[in-house]
Structures are given as C-alpha cells and as structure tokens.
Amino acid sequence: MAEFLEFKNVSKRFGAIQAVDGVSLEIKRGEFFALLGPSGCGKTTMLRIAAGFETPDAGQVFLAGREITDLPPNRRPVNTIFQSYALFPHLTVRDNIAFGLQIAKKPKAEIDREVETMLRLIRLEDQAGKKPDLLSGGQRQRVAVARALINKPGVLLLDEPLAALDLKLRQRMLIELDMIHDQVGITFLYVTHDQSEAMSLSDRIAVMNAGRIEQIGAPAEIYEAPRTSFVAAFIGDTNFLEGVVADHPEPEYSRLRIEGLPDATVYNDKQIADGHKIFLSIRPEKIQISRDRPEPKPKRNAVPAVVEDVIYLGPTTKYWVRAGEHRLQVLRQHARFFLDEKPIRWKDDVWVFWHGDDGFMLEGFRRDDEKLVAAPPQKVGEA
Amino acid sequence: MKRSRFPFIVTGLVLVFFYLPILILVVDSFNASRFGGAWRGFSLKWYVRLFHEPAIWTAARNTLVIALIVTFVSLLLGTTSALALHRFSKSRFQRVHYTLIYTPLVVPEILMGISLLMAFVAAGVKLGMGTIILAHVTFCISYVALVVLGRLQDFDFTVVEAARDLGATGWTATRRVLLPMLAPGLAAAGLIAFTLSVDDFVITFFVAGPGSTTLPIRVYSMIKHGATPLINALSTLLLALTFTTVLVSQRLSKSGALEGGQ
C-alpha cells in the first residue's frame, strides 16, 4: 500500500495561534485513519487543509502523488462530512444526495441510478422526498454520508461526525460507519476528540497536541506503548512515576530507582542509559491489588500501600492507594464477585504489584499532562 | 390575584389613536357625500371618477416604475453590502461601512431631501425619474442591507462550504445554495424597499422634476385643490397595496426564520 494522502511539513497560523506546526503525515490507500486530540489541537485545521478550505502557510499536500496544496475545494477529489452535517435545507433528501453529480453534469439516468444505490446503502429509500428538517439526527448523518460518497471521492474526510448524536445512536452509527468503510473501501480521514471512537474504528491513529503529532500508530500501539506523557494521559488513564535508571540486570530490562519506593524492574526498549532520569507510565488496570503479599517472581514489582479511596464503577472498582509519597490508581475487574468476600476497604493495608513489561518508559514528559489524568481524591474518605 | 385591566385599556387607546383616522378615511372613500362627515349612503363613484383622471394614472405608472427599479437596484446593492459587512465584520473598514449604512435611517428625511437636491443641482443633473430613483435607492439600500444582515447572522455558512466541497464553484454555490436559502429574507427586504419607495413623499418632493410626479405628490397637490373624496379613494387603494406588501413580507420573514440555520 502506497501513501495516498500525504502532508509534508504543513503549517498554518491563525493570528497569534499556531494551529498546525510543521506536520508530516502519510495516509495509505483504503486506510481508516483517525486524527485524535483535544479541541484546539489543530486536527480540524488539518482536515480543512485536506478539503481545501484552508491553504497552509507552509508545506505541501499530495493526493495520489499529485500536489493539491493550492487546489480549490471544488477541484479536489475529496469530500467532507461536516460536524453539523451542513445538509441543504431547501432541497429534499434525494436532491441533497444528487447535488455533487448534478454539479458534475452527469446524465440524469445515471444520477437517478446512483442516488437509488446510495439511498439503499443508507436505508432511507422511503424518506427520499423529505426535507432534511424532518429527519432524525441519525438519518441526517446518513444523508451526509451518502451525499459525500456518491461522488466516489479518493478520500472521505469526517469532521467529528458523531459529536452531535446521543450515546446509543453514536454506538450504532459507529458500527454503520465501519460497515460503510468496509463496503466502499475508500480512504477515511476521521477527526475526533473521542478516543473510544478513534480506537474502535481506525486502522491507525495520529494523536495531536498543540499543532504537532505526538504519536502515530495502531490503536493498540498507542494505548499500550505511548511515547509521551500526553499520549499516555489523553488516551485512557495512567499513573506517572519519576525515576532514575540505576542499572541493566538484563539487556532489555533496567532497574529504576524511584524515590520512596523499592527499585522497580522496567522494560527498557528504548535503551535509555544508566543515570538518566525517566518517567514511567503504568495503566491502572495493569496494576494488581491484594491484601496478601504477592509471592516474588522475576520482573514482578510489588509495593506496600494504603487504600485512600474506593470507587465502585460496576464492571470495575477503582482504588486510590498511597505508596510512600506516590498516589496510584488501580483498576480491578470482578471476574467473580462474592458479596460475602471480605472486600478491600478504605485505610486497609494492601500490596500493589505489576509486571515489568507493563510500566512504560516515556520519551517525553510535560508536567501539564498530569492534569489530564484522573485526580486523586482531595479529602481522604470512604466511598 | 385579579389581573389589572390597565395594559388592555392603554393598548386599546393606542390602537384607536393609530387606526381610527385611517378607518374614517377608508369609510369616507365609500361615502356618496361630497364633503366628509355626514353619511349619504354607500357609493363607489369616487373610485370610478379616480379611474378617469389621467393625471392619477400617470402618477401611478411613475410610482410603480420607480418602485420596481428601486427595489431591484437596492436589493442588489444592499445584499452585496450585507454580505461584505457579515464576511469582514471585524475589519475597521467594515465598521465605518456599517455606520454609513445605518446613518440614512436616522437622518431626518427633509435633510436628505435638501442635500440630495443640492447635490443634483450642483452636478447639473436634470431632475426627474432618474433623480427620484437615485434618491430612493440611497435610503432603501440601508433597509435592505440591515434586513439581509440580520438573516446572515444566523446563517450557517458551512452549507456553502459543503456545496464547494461537492464540486460547486463559488458562483454555483451562491446561486444554488446561498441565494435560495436567503430567498425569504431577500423577498422581505425587497418588499420593504418597494413599500418605502411607493410611500415616500418628503425626499421625492425635493428631487422630483416636471413629468415625474408620483402618487404621494399627486395626492398632496390634489389636497391643495380640495378634491378630498378622490384623495380618500386613492389613499384607500394605496393603503391596501401597502398593507398587502407588509403582510406578505412579514409572512416571508416568519417562514424564513423557521427555515434558516439548522
């Protein structure tokens, strides 16, 4: 698979704000690619540059090897699904969908045929004569999809297409979008701030922050092996621990000296040299909690702790524990739940432990990103 | 708690004050009596006589021609002005533009009339239909621009981007999406311009020339000759025309408001 949509050192500034800051990105043909990040990170600007609504201050955009940087939107083989859908309120569903082909001056018979196909794809044959105002949110969304796809674009751009829908509908549309992508097989560039949307739909994700790309990878890669504190904290929840690499008992593993805790064994794939300061990210669900001291195993890190807060979440329970000066969140799933089991409670002495492979060394750390993770309870109390 | 009747009484009095004179005029236009006041039975004779006055017909034709041209020109200029005001609402230049557009609404009509007259005379323009059209357009632009601007403010321009995205050129997007969606607002603005042009007396009085008499001016000169019953009939017709256009324009603004942004 070759690069299909390519951004080369693209920058865009709005007044004092550097919306996109020298971003390079290659999206493959047929890929479902997500741009994920908080609002204001520049992801929508990237999409608008791809659509032709914005011209980058610097850099180039290529589509199938052809430069499209300065091409106006109407001359680009890309189509967009807008967050507000932007359906034409004065036209019927049928005319909305036919719009692109009518503009292209296709023969009427062909337009009618294509529109019927699209109406079948989005299962709205019986609503074709209605104005968009009379449709539900989910139906409007499907019309927007059909109106874009009928032009057989090289790339479909989706700007937070599910943001306006309620949760249940969002989950249904998620499946529907995935099915449509499988059926039509064109490249999707999907912009969202919702990590679960990005995770469940995408082949690859680019996590953006402050106009730059923090990491590109498959969903599992991004979640399991975040490169920066931003990625670790923005996608899911995590614990940060600061330490110094003490030595390398094994080539792939280091011992990390963490203040106030016993030395921890950590997977050191980045070959960070001894003596360097490093931040560790451990996901809450990778840490186990138990009343009894776990039996020592190679690469197992076990730390005594005190429970400060217990939050029952249904499928899981979250424990905030204090180990030395560090506060950690631990997530525990109830595979089998016994009501008469003596549960872990507030102020209990416990052990928390995790495998060396589950603590992930970060290449970049910013203090600010700590604010993105769940905050420990302010006042110690029982949930 | 008993509701106070006071607001109803005040509203009633205001309405009576506003509309009673008009009502009397309308009723009088059907009065057979030559002098208003005493009712001498229902008659359409003033209307019949009105239709046989060639001067009235000329004035009516002038008024209509002027109003139609004024409506068209001020719609064109007012809409482009509103688009510019909306698109570049943050630039200092457009803030000046906005003030300039707004001013004609608050400048006393007589002042506008005098200054336009002086301008035409200074420029050596012959007074007539042309000068009336120019004068009407100057204040109708403002109304059109403000009405259209109001509509643009809650217009979602993403639909224009969507049209561009689907392959439409800037002009096609304007023609097939922007204008149809703005149509109710444009129609309302056009009707306002039309009504203002038909009704205007003060400014027209200053800039009119020989052979360009409009209906309001005709009415004024007829009063001087004391042909009241004819005036009543003519005024009633004018009133009917004005009321219909105002009603239609209100209808259009309302249905437009519902259709507007998504």
Side-chain angles (χ1 to χ4, degrees):
Chain A
M1 284 205 289
E3 300 79 52
F4 191 55
L5 178 62
E6 191 179 355
F7 295 86
K8 260 193 190 154
N9 291 314
V10 168
S11 291
K12 178 75 184 176
R13 169 182 285 276
F14 296 108
I17 297 149
Q18 188 73 47
V20 175
D21 193 2
V23 168
S24 293
L25 188 63
E26 288 162 8
I27 297 164
K28 300 186 181 88
R29 188 186 289 271
E31 200 172 24
F32 198 128
F33 193 95
L35 276 174
L36 175 65
S39 56
C41 72
K43 57 190 192 301
T44 299
T45 308
M46 288 284 286
L47 178 127
R48 291 177 62 81
I49 287 172
F53 299 133
E54 310 285 357
T55 317
D57 302 331
Q60 294 162 294
V61 187
F62 295 89
L63 183 67
R66 189 164 70 105
E67 184 172 355
I68 58 165
T69 318
D70 296 314
L71 229 51
N74 52 312
R75 290 183 43 212
R76 297 184 181 209
V78 299
N79 287 110
T80 309
I81 294 176
F82 296 86
Q83 187 173 357
S84 60
Y85 314 141
L87 298 178
F88 306 127
H90 59 298
L91 301 179
T92 60
V93 166
R94 182 185 301 279
D95 286 339
N96 262 283
I97 297 175
F99 192 87
L101 296 184
Q102 287 172 356
I103 294 289
K105 302 226 163 53
K106 290 278 189 313
K108 185 161 185 323
E110 186 191 330
I111 296 178
D112 289 346
R113 203 174 54 240
E114 293 289 321
V115 170
E116 286 311 317
T117 313
M118 275 300 152
L119 283 168
R120 263 200 308 282
L121 178 75
I122 59 166
R123 299 191 316 279
L124 282 179
E125 293 106 313
D126 50 337
Q127 314 281 332
K130 284 191 182 167
K131 295 275 176 73
D133 285 359
L134 298 172
L135 302 183
S136 70
Q139 289 172 329
R140 283 184 208 179
Q141 224 261 327
R142 271 146 49 194
V143 175
V145 171
R147 186 179 68 173
L149 284 180
I150 199 164
N151 306 293
K152 304 203 166 55
V155 181
L156 185 68
L157 308 170
L158 301 99
D159 183 11
E160 308 239 10
L162 306 181
L165 305 176
D166 60 62
L167 182 68
K168 285 282 168 206
L169 199 53
R170 198 151 65 217
Q171 290 168 343
R172 266 220 327 267
M173 290 308 299
L174 217 60
I175 298 167
E176 208 148 319
L177 277 179
D178 203 22
M179 274 167 46
I180 290 172
H181 177 249
D182 288 347
Q183 274 180 44
V184 297
I186 60 172
T187 313
F188 277 38
L189 176 58
Y190 190 100
V191 162
T192 181
H193 68 274
D194 186 310
Q195 42 140 329
S196 66
E197 270 175 31
M199 292 272 209
S200 53
L201 288 171
S202 322
D203 299 317
R204 286 193 304 153
I205 298 174
V207 182
M208 279 191 80
N209 183 34
R212 291 167 180 276
I213 290 181
E214 296 262 338
Q215 188 171 358
I216 303 176
E221 229 176 301
I222 298 258
Y223 185 80
E224 303 290 344
R227 273 186 22 211
T228 63
S229 57
F230 178 82
V231 176
F234 187 73
I235 317 248
D237 229 329
T238 196
N239 297 290
F240 290 125
L241 287 173
E242 185 183 351
V244 175
V245 180
D247 56 0
H248 281 68
E250 283 178 57
E252 294 273 278
Y253 292 88
S254 304
R255 259 214 322 253
L256 198 65
R257 190 151 293 147
I258 302 165
E259 211 183 303
L261 293 182
D263 287 354
T265 306
V266 183
Y267 179 53
N268 189 349
D269 62 329
K270 297 176 183 88
Q271 295 301 322
I272 290 159
D274 296 355
H276 275 274
K277 197 169 91 169
I278 192 79
F279 284 86
L280 198 64
S281 158
I282 317 167
R283 301 268 182 211
E285 74 276 11
K286 312 279 189 200
I287 306 179
Q288 286 173 283
I289 186 167
S290 125
R291 214 177 270 290
D292 309 312
R293 179 170 196 158
E295 63 180 278
K297 276 189 188 170
K299 301 190 188 84
R300 169 175 277 177
N301 303 300
V303 177
V306 182
V307 177
E308 286 194 335
D309 202 3
V310 181
I311 304 161
Y312 177 70
L313 297 168
T316 55
T317 300
K318 184 187 264 189
Y319 302 92
W320 278 99
V321 303
R322 180 182 288 275
E325 281 310 298
H326 302 277
R327 298 171 103 180
L328 301 173
Q329 44 178 333
V330 179
L331 216 52
R332 185 193 199 188
Q333 203 179 354
H334 317 288
R336 301 172 71 197
F337 188 82
F338 298 108
L339 282 173
D340 54 352
E341 178 193 58
K342 194 181 168 227
I344 294 172
R345 301 187 76 97
W346 175 49
K347 279 189 172 169
D348 280 356
D349 287 319
V350 291
W351 284 83
V352 292
F353 51 101
W354 72 92
H355 190 271
D357 287 350
D358 287 330
F360 218 83
M361 286 187 175
L362 301 172
E363 287 169 28
F365 183 85
R366 280 181 303 263
R367 278 278 163 222
D368 266 3
D369 295 334
E370 280 182 317
K371 290 180 195 138
L372 293 170
V373 297
Q378 289 302 307
K379 262 168 67 181
V380 177
E382 193 168 9
Chain B
M1 198 182 84
K2 194 170 167 285
R3 230 188 243 166
S4 163
R5 288 231 176 114
F6 186 68
F8 291 99
I9 294 168
V10 171
T11 312
L13 283 176
V14 167
L15 287 177
V16 166
F17 186 75
F18 272 177
Y19 289 105
L20 191 63
I22 295 178
L23 196 69
I24 291 174
L25 180 141
V26 172
V27 170
D28 242 5
S29 74
F30 297 106
N31 192 347
S33 161
R34 185 165 169 66
F35 309 99
W39 180 259
R40 292 271 163 75
F42 181 84
S43 162
L44 288 175
K45 69 174 175 189
W46 305 119
Y47 287 90
V48 175
R49 181 132 6 128
L50 198 63
F51 281 93
H52 291 102
E53 286 271 341
I56 298 270
W57 279 103
T58 323
R61 209 200 57 221
N62 285 348
T63 306
L64 211 66
V65 168
I66 291 169
L68 286 175
I69 295 175
V70 165
T71 305
F72 179 76
V73 176
S74 55
L75 255 184
L76 200 71
L77 296 178
T79 305
T80 43
S81 150
L83 283 170
L85 282 172
H86 181 77
R87 179 91 167 266
F88 310 104
S89 56
K90 284 187 186 75
S91 86
R92 186 171 307 168
F93 180 66
Q94 291 300 334
R95 255 175 283 161
V96 175
H97 181 193
Y98 182 78
T99 314
L100 288 177
I101 283 290
Y102 195 85
T103 311
L105 303 185
V106 289
V107 167
E109 267 193 280
I110 191 140
L111 225 150
M112 288 239 342
I114 293 173
S115 47
L116 279 166
L117 175 64
M118 284 164 68
F120 289 140
V121 170
V125 182
K126 200 167 153 277
L127 296 181
M129 300 272 276
T131 49
I132 297 179
I133 290 170
L134 276 177
H136 285 194
V137 165
T138 46
F139 66 85
C140 284
I141 288 179
S142 304
Y143 286 93
V144 170
L146 289 179
V147 169
V148 176
L149 187 62
R151 298 301 304 273
L152 288 177
Q153 259 145 16
D154 34 65
F155 188 84
D156 179 12
F157 274 89
T158 329
V159 293
V160 178
E161 281 190 348
R164 300 275 282 135
D165 188 65
L166 294 166
T169 57
W171 167 240
T172 312
T174 307
R175 196 170 48 84
R176 297 204 39 176
V177 176
L178 183 64
L179 287 182
M181 283 178 72
L182 281 181
L186 293 181
L191 285 174
I192 290 176
F194 183 82
T195 316
L196 287 172
S197 169
V198 167
D199 280 356
D200 183 73
F201 174 75
V202 179
I203 295 174
T204 315
F205 188 72
F206 280 95
V207 297
S212 63
T213 308
T214 63
L215 273 180
I217 308 244
R218 184 87 259 162
V219 169
Y220 177 71
S221 64
M222 277 162 77
I223 283 184
K224 282 202 292 200
H225 296 102
T228 19
L230 272 185
I231 293 170
N232 287 348
L234 181 58
S235 305
T236 305
L237 289 179
L238 271 178
L239 207 65
L241 180 70
T242 314
F243 261 119
T244 329
T245 43
V246 167
L247 253 150
V248 171
S249 103
Q250 276 183 346
R251 260 295 156 72
L252 288 174
S253 328
K254 231 180 265 168
S255 65
L258 290 176
E259 234 177 86
Q262 293 182 27

